[in-house]
Amino acid sequence: MQYYMLDEQKAMDYVTETGLFSKKNNLSCREIGDGNLNLVFIIKDDVTEKSMVLKQALPYVRVVGESWPLSVNRTRIEANALEVQNKLVPGLVPKLYHRNDDMALIIMEDLSHLSLMRYGMVQMKKFPKFSDHISTFLANMLFYTSDLYVDSEAKKHLVQKFVNPELCKITEDLIFTDPYYDAERNNINPALRIYLEETFWKKEALWLEVSKLKYKFLTEAQSLLHGDLHTGSIFANANETRVFDTEFAFVGPSAFDVGKIIGNLLINYISWSGKDMNPTDIKDYRVYLLDTVNDLYQQFEQKFKNNWDRDLRDISAKVTGYQEFYMRNIFVDAVGYAGAVMIRRMHGLAHNIDVDGIEDLEKRKSVQILILELAETLIINRANFNTIEDITMLVRNRIY
Amino acid sequence: MQYYMLDEQKAMDYVTETGLFSKKNNLSCREIGDGNLNLVFIIKDDVTEKSMVLKQALPYVRVVGESWPLSVNRTRIEANALEVQNKLVPGLVPKLYHRNDDMALIIMEDLSHLSLMRYGMVQMKKFPKFSDHISTFLANMLFYTSDLYVDSEAKKHLVQKFVNPELCKITEDLIFTDPYYDAERNNINPALRIYLEETFWKKEALWLEVSKLKYKFLTEAQSLLHGDLHTGSIFANANETRVFDTEFAFVGPSAFDVGKIIGNLLINYISWSGKDMNPTDIKDYRVYLLDTVNDLYQQFEQKFKNNWDRDLRDISAKVTGYQEFYMRNIFVDAVGYAGAVMIRRMHGLAHNIDVDGIEDLEKRKSVQILILELAETLIINRANFNTIEDITMLVRNRIY
């Protein structure tokens, strides 16, 4: 089948062809994507109320002022990853109903009854099931796609299937490279520039440690990652949590997914320092956030070890001390990756509404510096922390 | 083209079809392979004296008492690797004249004027150009196929192209797993068994460190490796050195190739302790061997750094301290891999003639224990050595 771009009418026609809806007459369709990377249609049977999401990749990315071609191969990656996730963490990702790699489209579960976690968090919404759900997501995905569980040859085919050059390149550049010098693609708060020029970009020791983390991102084919696990890739409400947008999936260092989500929670934690809100509310929300970080990591670790005890296959991993070595590696690197993603959201290309919602640029700058300096501490000292509570205690002691 | 197995006549017919020889009438052909893994034909024009080697993969491996199917995909890997090597280290590998992936065959330069280095070394032959040549092989292959030089996306395609599940699995099992317990495939000198049972297989700290080295072998996609770089994969004489049999090629930890060749030189060094030779000759050859190890590593490091200074592309690797981090990683892991390959040749499936040439099983046992214990020291203490001379000094002080 030849690729063609859908519009609302064509999307309805396409869906009817698939047989996923019984009657065409009752369908309605709405395009809700931002149009930069993908088209996203919600298609609904107005009689039965049944609805689905159709996502189609566009063959380019539009970024500020330039055209950036991007192969639609990312839809194949996303569909492949959704298939694995639906086996290993059913109920924590959208169900996949249909894929068409030629058309670069997938049809999946409509999750519009949930809200984007990032938007909830800038409104101090709490997600009481989040740490339980995400720790399961991480423990299952990262254990059951690693050499601990997957047969040696199947693992190599997993690596091969998820080779994802274009999207990995984005991460390599935007997270691990551009923020450490005056790169053209950086998106810099003018009030922050002087700090970057006079202080941040002179931190060679920091850049060195980030380059070591980049080395692992480039080379360490440990587990199948989501690859972009931040609060903007999660739909949630009080009871449900769903991870989506998994087009960055590839086999990489397990710690990257863990660190990315933690870093994004810490960004939100610090962002309140720049906002005029009731201090009691801030304090309460911050307690919730650090509890969430602690819970998330502790539960992840416990569930991962439970998987290990139940399902470990590699005889080499049974030797005394190996589990400690393995878990320690993930912890140390996760702390480092948390720092790296905090930094990239301050003055790299893509920001967070958590901080960019602070309209006063001086106030925003102060928050950005707080975040940059905390991130630096995490990265430089990552091998000196022992538990996640060392991290949350440090954050609480420094910013409250 | 459908795969069919060649014999001498069919090999000549095939070669004639390729046009590599002008006249069919003058050809002669001889099969010289051991028939376990591959057929190897030398085809010669008896008038012009021009000759070539045709290697065809068999769709199985014969090991003691069982049939072990193995896909002929390894010829595709070998041909792909030969193409890369002929670009990066021309003159140090056989020239590739022709490949046919369907027929699982390659036609390449005839190197029968050279001798197998392993056989030369058990006769105390010296190879004065070896350390210069192999250090160039390692420095060029390991630098120019790494993220230091290769563009991010091309690197991912390199990884994908060289996914080599079956051959990697052999290394994972035979080097990193089987020797550490009483595995069925082990090939054990009966006189050594009691040492293994009462001592060696109880060394949990050693197995742990070997499992960490296995982890890197499983996950660290750093450079395109030869994958089986021992003295039985090298043809040489006083002036020439050619690395062949590169069917184990994959993108893995750079240190593996470096460590494997060093480990094999150290096996030869210790093997003389079990042989009745003139002590002066042994001493002289041992001085040569340790000089070779020092030269090989020091030249490798210098040439790798020269490549780095001339051709580094990744901006992240330019930060102060990164080169030291990178080279240190290779050194420490190479020491560990040297130890691991020494151990596997003592009581794993595949042995070396260097030690198995000692016919008295008690004497062989003594040498095997010397090697196992030196290897253990290397592996356990690998992070405590600073330079290759620390290693060679240790060897000289312990065994002379």
Side-chain angles (χ1 to χ4, degrees), chain B residues 189-192 270-277 346 354-371:
Chain B
N189 170 4
L192 183 68
I270 301 177
S271 70
W272 301 107
S273 294
K275 295 182 185 182
D276 295 323
M277 304 283 285
M346 296 306 104
D354 310 56
V355 172
D356 278 19
I358 303 167
E359 290 188 5
D360 181 311
L361 295 187
E362 283 297 325
K363 273 192 186 169
R364 192 193 296 173
K365 176 194 87 172
S366 301
V367 166
Q368 287 173 324
I369 291 177
L370 280 175
I371 292 174

mmCIF file of all heavy atoms in Angstrom, chain B residues 189-192 270-277 346 354-371:
data_model
loop_
_atom_site.group_PDB
_atom_site.id
_atom_site.type_symbol
_atom_site.label_atom_id
_atom_site.label_comp_id
_atom_site.label_asym_id
_atom_site.label_seq_id
_atom_site.Cartn_x
_atom_site.Cartn_y
_atom_site.Cartn_z
ATOM 1 N N ASN B 189 40.850 -31.993 31.324
ATOM 2 C CA ASN B 189 41.976 -32.874 31.615
ATOM 3 C C ASN B 189 41.629 -33.623 32.901
ATOM 4 O O ASN B 189 41.422 -32.999 33.941
ATOM 5 C CB ASN B 189 43.223 -32.000 31.790
ATOM 6 C CG ASN B 189 44.430 -32.758 32.325
ATOM 7 O OD1 ASN B 189 44.391 -33.981 32.512
ATOM 8 N ND2 ASN B 189 45.511 -32.025 32.561
ATOM 9 N N PRO B 190 41.565 -34.971 32.860
ATOM 10 C CA PRO B 190 41.153 -35.716 34.064
ATOM 11 C C PRO B 190 41.998 -35.362 35.286
ATOM 12 O O PRO B 190 41.477 -35.322 36.404
ATOM 13 C CB PRO B 190 41.363 -37.181 33.661
ATOM 14 C CG PRO B 190 41.446 -37.194 32.181
ATOM 15 C CD PRO B 190 41.882 -35.855 31.725
ATOM 16 N N ALA B 191 43.269 -35.074 35.059
ATOM 17 C CA ALA B 191 44.144 -34.741 36.189
ATOM 18 C C ALA B 191 43.780 -33.378 36.802
ATOM 19 O O ALA B 191 44.141 -33.077 37.937
ATOM 20 C CB ALA B 191 45.601 -34.730 35.736
ATOM 21 N N LEU B 192 43.086 -32.557 36.041
ATOM 22 C CA LEU B 192 42.729 -31.216 36.532
ATOM 23 C C LEU B 192 41.400 -31.207 37.285
ATOM 24 O O LEU B 192 41.122 -30.295 38.059
ATOM 25 C CB LEU B 192 42.654 -30.244 35.333
ATOM 26 C CG LEU B 192 42.368 -28.771 35.642
ATOM 27 C CD1 LEU B 192 43.541 -28.132 36.383
ATOM 28 C CD2 LEU B 192 42.057 -27.982 34.363
ATOM 29 N N ILE B 270 53.221 -19.160 29.488
ATOM 30 C CA ILE B 270 53.230 -20.071 30.635
ATOM 31 C C ILE B 270 53.413 -21.521 30.194
ATOM 32 O O ILE B 270 53.987 -22.339 30.903
ATOM 33 C CB ILE B 270 51.946 -19.892 31.463
ATOM 34 C CG1 ILE B 270 51.865 -18.428 31.944
ATOM 35 C CG2 ILE B 270 51.934 -20.837 32.666
ATOM 36 C CD1 ILE B 270 50.624 -18.090 32.715
ATOM 37 N N SER B 271 52.952 -21.821 28.998
ATOM 38 C CA SER B 271 52.987 -23.222 28.544
ATOM 39 C C SER B 271 54.387 -23.813 28.614
ATOM 40 O O SER B 271 54.546 -25.022 28.831
ATOM 41 C CB SER B 271 52.439 -23.328 27.114
ATOM 42 O OG SER B 271 53.338 -22.730 26.192
ATOM 43 N N TRP B 272 55.409 -23.006 28.465
ATOM 44 C CA TRP B 272 56.789 -23.535 28.476
ATOM 45 C C TRP B 272 57.168 -24.143 29.818
ATOM 46 O O TRP B 272 58.084 -24.959 29.886
ATOM 47 C CB TRP B 272 57.770 -22.418 28.067
ATOM 48 C CG TRP B 272 57.454 -21.897 26.694
ATOM 49 C CD1 TRP B 272 56.890 -20.709 26.385
ATOM 50 C CD2 TRP B 272 57.625 -22.592 25.461
ATOM 51 N NE1 TRP B 272 56.697 -20.592 25.032
ATOM 52 C CE2 TRP B 272 57.149 -21.737 24.440
ATOM 53 C CE3 TRP B 272 58.138 -23.855 25.114
ATOM 54 C CZ2 TRP B 272 57.149 -22.111 23.095
ATOM 55 C CZ3 TRP B 272 58.156 -24.211 23.772
ATOM 56 C CH2 TRP B 272 57.656 -23.349 22.777
ATOM 57 N N SER B 273 56.459 -23.793 30.860
ATOM 58 C CA SER B 273 56.734 -24.396 32.174
ATOM 59 C C SER B 273 56.491 -25.898 32.177
ATOM 60 O O SER B 273 56.970 -26.603 33.060
ATOM 61 C CB SER B 273 55.852 -23.757 33.255
ATOM 62 O OG SER B 273 56.208 -22.405 33.439
ATOM 63 N N GLY B 274 55.754 -26.386 31.204
ATOM 64 C CA GLY B 274 55.473 -27.824 31.172
ATOM 65 C C GLY B 274 56.249 -28.549 30.084
ATOM 66 O O GLY B 274 55.938 -29.691 29.759
ATOM 67 N N LYS B 275 57.218 -27.865 29.470
ATOM 68 C CA LYS B 275 57.902 -28.480 28.322
ATOM 69 C C LYS B 275 59.391 -28.664 28.601
ATOM 70 O O LYS B 275 60.014 -27.816 29.245
ATOM 71 C CB LYS B 275 57.683 -27.610 27.080
ATOM 72 C CG LYS B 275 56.211 -27.594 26.693
ATOM 73 C CD LYS B 275 55.918 -26.807 25.444
ATOM 74 C CE LYS B 275 54.402 -26.780 25.239
ATOM 75 N NZ LYS B 275 54.008 -26.069 24.019
ATOM 76 N N ASP B 276 59.936 -29.747 28.111
ATOM 77 C CA ASP B 276 61.349 -30.031 28.321
ATOM 78 C C ASP B 276 62.171 -29.379 27.218
ATOM 79 O O ASP B 276 62.481 -30.002 26.203
ATOM 80 C CB ASP B 276 61.576 -31.551 28.307
ATOM 81 C CG ASP B 276 60.879 -32.214 29.475
ATOM 82 O OD1 ASP B 276 60.866 -31.610 30.572
ATOM 83 O OD2 ASP B 276 60.316 -33.310 29.278
ATOM 84 N N MET B 277 62.479 -28.134 27.420
ATOM 85 C CA MET B 277 63.257 -27.411 26.414
ATOM 86 C C MET B 277 64.444 -26.792 27.129
ATOM 87 O O MET B 277 64.468 -26.651 28.347
ATOM 88 C CB MET B 277 62.414 -26.293 25.795
ATOM 89 C CG MET B 277 61.116 -26.751 25.176
ATOM 90 S SD MET B 277 61.365 -27.526 23.583
ATOM 91 C CE MET B 277 61.701 -26.068 22.583
ATOM 92 N N MET B 346 41.656 -23.629 29.106
ATOM 93 C CA MET B 346 42.177 -24.679 29.983
ATOM 94 C C MET B 346 41.211 -25.852 30.099
ATOM 95 O O MET B 346 41.598 -26.998 29.962
ATOM 96 C CB MET B 346 42.493 -24.102 31.375
ATOM 97 C CG MET B 346 43.600 -23.040 31.381
ATOM 98 S SD MET B 346 45.140 -23.627 30.600
ATOM 99 C CE MET B 346 45.066 -22.780 29.003
ATOM 100 N N ASP B 354 49.116 -25.048 22.418
ATOM 101 C CA ASP B 354 50.189 -24.561 23.291
ATOM 102 C C ASP B 354 50.252 -25.383 24.579
ATOM 103 O O ASP B 354 51.329 -25.762 25.033
ATOM 104 C CB ASP B 354 49.982 -23.090 23.666
ATOM 105 C CG ASP B 354 49.711 -22.202 22.467
ATOM 106 O OD1 ASP B 354 48.762 -22.484 21.716
ATOM 107 O OD2 ASP B 354 50.430 -21.205 22.284
ATOM 108 N N VAL B 355 49.105 -25.632 25.178
ATOM 109 C CA VAL B 355 49.057 -26.360 26.446
ATOM 110 C C VAL B 355 48.717 -27.838 26.221
ATOM 111 O O VAL B 355 49.300 -28.719 26.835
ATOM 112 C CB VAL B 355 48.045 -25.705 27.413
ATOM 113 C CG1 VAL B 355 47.846 -26.568 28.651
ATOM 114 C CG2 VAL B 355 48.526 -24.312 27.800
ATOM 115 N N ASP B 356 47.804 -28.103 25.308
ATOM 116 C CA ASP B 356 47.429 -29.507 25.084
ATOM 117 C C ASP B 356 48.544 -30.298 24.401
ATOM 118 O O ASP B 356 48.515 -31.528 24.376
ATOM 119 C CB ASP B 356 46.116 -29.606 24.294
ATOM 120 C CG ASP B 356 44.909 -29.447 25.230
ATOM 121 O OD1 ASP B 356 45.105 -28.921 26.346
ATOM 122 O OD2 ASP B 356 43.797 -29.862 24.863
ATOM 123 N N GLY B 357 49.532 -29.585 23.886
ATOM 124 C CA GLY B 357 50.720 -30.258 23.359
ATOM 125 C C GLY B 357 51.565 -30.907 24.467
ATOM 126 O O GLY B 357 52.452 -31.711 24.182
ATOM 127 N N ILE B 358 51.308 -30.553 25.710
ATOM 128 C CA ILE B 358 52.015 -31.195 26.836
ATOM 129 C C ILE B 358 51.319 -32.533 27.096
ATOM 130 O O ILE B 358 50.198 -32.571 27.620
ATOM 131 C CB ILE B 358 51.948 -30.300 28.100
ATOM 132 C CG1 ILE B 358 52.542 -28.924 27.806
ATOM 133 C CG2 ILE B 358 52.661 -30.974 29.274
ATOM 134 C CD1 ILE B 358 52.244 -27.868 28.868
ATOM 135 N N GLU B 359 51.979 -33.622 26.729
ATOM 136 C CA GLU B 359 51.273 -34.901 26.747
ATOM 137 C C GLU B 359 51.083 -35.479 28.145
ATOM 138 O O GLU B 359 50.075 -36.123 28.411
ATOM 139 C CB GLU B 359 51.973 -35.887 25.826
ATOM 140 C CG GLU B 359 51.762 -35.451 24.371
ATOM 141 C CD GLU B 359 52.243 -36.462 23.362
ATOM 142 O OE1 GLU B 359 52.673 -37.569 23.755
ATOM 143 O OE2 GLU B 359 52.179 -36.129 22.158
ATOM 144 N N ASP B 360 52.043 -35.257 29.017
ATOM 145 C CA ASP B 360 51.924 -35.746 30.402
ATOM 146 C C ASP B 360 50.804 -34.966 31.103
ATOM 147 O O ASP B 360 50.899 -33.751 31.289
ATOM 148 C CB ASP B 360 53.267 -35.537 31.104
ATOM 149 C CG ASP B 360 53.253 -36.036 32.546
ATOM 150 O OD1 ASP B 360 52.300 -35.685 33.294
ATOM 151 O OD2 ASP B 360 54.183 -36.730 32.928
ATOM 152 N N LEU B 361 49.765 -35.676 31.480
ATOM 153 C CA LEU B 361 48.571 -34.973 31.988
ATOM 154 C C LEU B 361 48.822 -34.279 33.324
ATOM 155 O O LEU B 361 48.183 -33.261 33.624
ATOM 156 C CB LEU B 361 47.386 -35.942 32.094
ATOM 157 C CG LEU B 361 46.885 -36.515 30.771
ATOM 158 C CD1 LEU B 361 45.604 -37.319 30.983
ATOM 159 C CD2 LEU B 361 46.660 -35.422 29.724
ATOM 160 N N GLU B 362 49.723 -34.815 34.113
ATOM 161 C CA GLU B 362 50.050 -34.150 35.381
ATOM 162 C C GLU B 362 50.804 -32.845 35.123
ATOM 163 O O GLU B 362 50.522 -31.825 35.739
ATOM 164 C CB GLU B 362 50.888 -35.079 36.271
ATOM 165 C CG GLU B 362 50.067 -36.166 36.969
ATOM 166 C CD GLU B 362 49.026 -35.600 37.944
ATOM 167 O OE1 GLU B 362 49.296 -34.580 38.595
ATOM 168 O OE2 GLU B 362 47.923 -36.177 38.029
ATOM 169 N N LYS B 363 51.767 -32.927 34.232
ATOM 170 C CA LYS B 363 52.493 -31.701 33.853
ATOM 171 C C LYS B 363 51.541 -30.681 33.238
ATOM 172 O O LYS B 363 51.612 -29.489 33.509
ATOM 173 C CB LYS B 363 53.583 -32.028 32.831
ATOM 174 C CG LYS B 363 54.899 -32.446 33.442
ATOM 175 C CD LYS B 363 55.969 -32.444 32.359
ATOM 176 C CE LYS B 363 57.279 -33.015 32.906
ATOM 177 N NZ LYS B 363 58.238 -33.268 31.824
ATOM 178 N N ARG B 364 50.649 -31.189 32.388
ATOM 179 C CA ARG B 364 49.671 -30.285 31.755
ATOM 180 C C ARG B 364 48.798 -29.627 32.827
ATOM 181 O O ARG B 364 48.520 -28.436 32.775
ATOM 182 C CB ARG B 364 48.809 -31.050 30.755
ATOM 183 C CG ARG B 364 47.991 -30.129 29.864
ATOM 184 C CD ARG B 364 46.911 -30.849 29.078
ATOM 185 N NE ARG B 364 47.464 -31.809 28.131
ATOM 186 C CZ ARG B 364 46.722 -32.666 27.421
ATOM 187 N NH1 ARG B 364 45.401 -32.666 27.551
ATOM 188 N NH2 ARG B 364 47.288 -33.512 26.597
ATOM 189 N N LYS B 365 48.408 -30.437 33.789
ATOM 190 C CA LYS B 365 47.600 -29.909 34.887
ATOM 191 C C LYS B 365 48.329 -28.767 35.598
ATOM 192 O O LYS B 365 47.741 -27.712 35.897
ATOM 193 C CB LYS B 365 47.297 -31.012 35.902
ATOM 194 C CG LYS B 365 46.534 -30.500 37.108
ATOM 195 C CD LYS B 365 46.529 -31.489 38.265
ATOM 196 C CE LYS B 365 47.761 -31.298 39.142
ATOM 197 N NZ LYS B 365 47.728 -32.096 40.372
ATOM 198 N N SER B 366 49.616 -28.970 35.883
ATOM 199 C CA SER B 366 50.363 -27.928 36.607
ATOM 200 C C SER B 366 50.370 -26.622 35.821
ATOM 201 O O SER B 366 50.193 -25.535 36.385
ATOM 202 C CB SER B 366 51.802 -28.383 36.854
ATOM 203 O OG SER B 366 51.784 -29.566 37.604
ATOM 204 N N VAL B 367 50.587 -26.749 34.517
ATOM 205 C CA VAL B 367 50.571 -25.548 33.673
ATOM 206 C C VAL B 367 49.174 -24.931 33.664
ATOM 207 O O VAL B 367 49.006 -23.706 33.759
ATOM 208 C CB VAL B 367 51.024 -25.890 32.239
ATOM 209 C CG1 VAL B 367 50.697 -24.760 31.278
ATOM 210 C CG2 VAL B 367 52.518 -26.190 32.230
ATOM 211 N N GLN B 368 48.165 -25.776 33.553
ATOM 212 C CA GLN B 368 46.784 -25.257 33.520
ATOM 213 C C GLN B 368 46.462 -24.494 34.802
ATOM 214 O O GLN B 368 45.843 -23.426 34.760
ATOM 215 C CB GLN B 368 45.801 -26.418 33.311
ATOM 216 C CG GLN B 368 45.847 -26.946 31.867
ATOM 217 C CD GLN B 368 45.019 -28.203 31.649
ATOM 218 O OE1 GLN B 368 44.942 -29.063 32.525
ATOM 219 N NE2 GLN B 368 44.413 -28.294 30.470
ATOM 220 N N ILE B 369 46.937 -25.015 35.943
ATOM 221 C CA ILE B 369 46.664 -24.314 37.199
ATOM 222 C C ILE B 369 47.421 -22.987 37.251
ATOM 223 O O ILE B 369 46.866 -21.962 37.677
ATOM 224 C CB ILE B 369 46.995 -25.216 38.412
ATOM 225 C CG1 ILE B 369 45.976 -26.371 38.458
ATOM 226 C CG2 ILE B 369 46.954 -24.427 39.716
ATOM 227 C CD1 ILE B 369 46.221 -27.397 39.560
ATOM 228 N N LEU B 370 48.666 -22.998 36.786
ATOM 229 C CA LEU B 370 49.417 -21.721 36.720
ATOM 230 C C LEU B 370 48.636 -20.690 35.910
ATOM 231 O O LEU B 370 48.522 -19.521 36.295
ATOM 232 C CB LEU B 370 50.781 -21.934 36.056
ATOM 233 C CG LEU B 370 51.932 -22.510 36.898
ATOM 234 C CD1 LEU B 370 53.148 -22.737 36.003
ATOM 235 C CD2 LEU B 370 52.284 -21.559 38.050
ATOM 236 N N ILE B 371 48.111 -21.133 34.784
ATOM 237 C CA ILE B 371 47.375 -20.216 33.904
ATOM 238 C C ILE B 371 46.063 -19.780 34.547
ATOM 239 O O ILE B 371 45.713 -18.586 34.535
ATOM 240 C CB ILE B 371 47.144 -20.878 32.524
ATOM 241 C CG1 ILE B 371 48.498 -21.020 31.798
ATOM 242 C CG2 ILE B 371 46.155 -20.062 31.689
ATOM 243 C CD1 ILE B 371 48.452 -21.789 30.496
#
